């Protein structure tokens, strides 16, 4: 039962991520169309249309994959010192006593507590972003054919 629930979460998360990726691609495409209009070009022309679609879908897919990589690195502890130091500065600035907070006394204790937490799966971000990147890569073929 738990495996079925995890699969359902993966599918729903992937679909939401793909929807966000398509939304971002739409924004990028709108900006590309505005750029073509500002240059005096017709964005509805086949070459310009394909250029905008290739850029939009590829960039949206790459942004999702970069977000997945950053979250994976963060989960592995790449940004622990930054997170601990920012929390320390925040608590020192806005709390009367730092020891009244849940922040560990040392960075080593913070890392041990963080490593004790179960890692999260970010596979849904990768699975939701890859289709957008693949669509962009596939659209490169007709774009290159339309240039010649």
């Amino acid at each position: 039962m738990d495996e079925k629930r995890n699969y359902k979460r993966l599918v729903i998360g992937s679909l939401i991520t793909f929807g966000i990726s398509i939304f971002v691609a739409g924004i990028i495409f709108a900006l590309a169309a505005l750029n073509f209009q500002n240059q005096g070009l017709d964005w509805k022309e086949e070459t310009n249309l394909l250029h905008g679609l290739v850029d939009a879908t590829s960039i949206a897919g790459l942004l999702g994959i970069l977000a997945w990589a950053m979250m994976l690195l963060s989960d592995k502890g790449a940004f622990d010192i930054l997170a601990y130091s920012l929390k320390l500065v925040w608590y020192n600035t806005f709390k009367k006593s730092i020891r009244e907070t849940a922040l560990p006394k040392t960075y080593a204790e913070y890392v041990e507590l963080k490593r004790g937490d179960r890692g999260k799966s970010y596979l849904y971000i990768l699975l939701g972003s890859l289709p957008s990147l693949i669509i962009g890569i596939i659209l490169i073929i007709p774009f290159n054919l339309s240039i010649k």
Side-chain angles (χ1 to χ4, degrees):
M1 189 68 167
D2 194 40
E3 188 175 312
K4 187 177 181 181
R5 197 168 113 200
N6 287 340
Y7 178 75
K8 193 175 186 180
R9 285 182 181 174
L10 179 68
V11 169
I12 291 171
S14 297
L15 289 174
I16 290 171
T17 305
F18 182 68
I20 292 170
S21 179
I22 294 301
F23 178 74
V24 169
I27 291 172
I28 294 171
F29 181 75
L31 291 173
L34 283 173
N35 187 34
F36 285 132
Q37 283 183 345
N38 288 340
Q39 293 177 3
L41 300 172
D42 182 20
W43 68 271
K44 294 177 185 174
E45 185 181 314
E46 181 185 8
T47 305
N48 295 337
L49 182 66
L50 283 171
H51 186 207
L53 287 173
V54 167
D55 286 351
T57 54
S58 299
I59 291 171
L62 284 174
L63 286 174
I65 291 170
L66 287 174
W68 169 77
M70 291 293 287
M71 293 174 91
L72 193 65
L73 284 173
S74 177
D75 207 35
K76 298 294 183 191
F79 307 110
D80 283 350
I81 187 75
L82 182 64
Y84 180 75
S85 61
L86 287 175
K87 286 180 184 179
L88 192 62
V89 167
W90 181 265
Y91 289 146
N92 276 328
T93 305
F94 296 108
K95 299 286 182 180
K96 289 181 181 179
S97 173
I98 194 168
R99 295 305 149 218
E100 294 174 2
T101 65
L103 189 66
K105 290 182 180 180
T106 64
Y107 172 68
E109 291 175 5
Y110 177 79
V111 170
E112 286 301 319
L113 282 174
K114 184 141 185 193
R115 285 188 185 158
D117 293 341
R118 192 177 71 101
K120 297 176 185 167
S121 173
Y122 300 112
L123 185 61
Y124 66 94
I125 296 173
L126 183 65
L127 293 177
S129 300
L130 274 177
S132 181
L133 181 63
I134 291 169
I135 291 169
I137 291 171
I138 290 172
L139 286 174
I140 289 174
I141 297 167
F143 173 68
N144 284 336
L145 293 176
S146 69
I147 291 175
K148 295 177 182 179

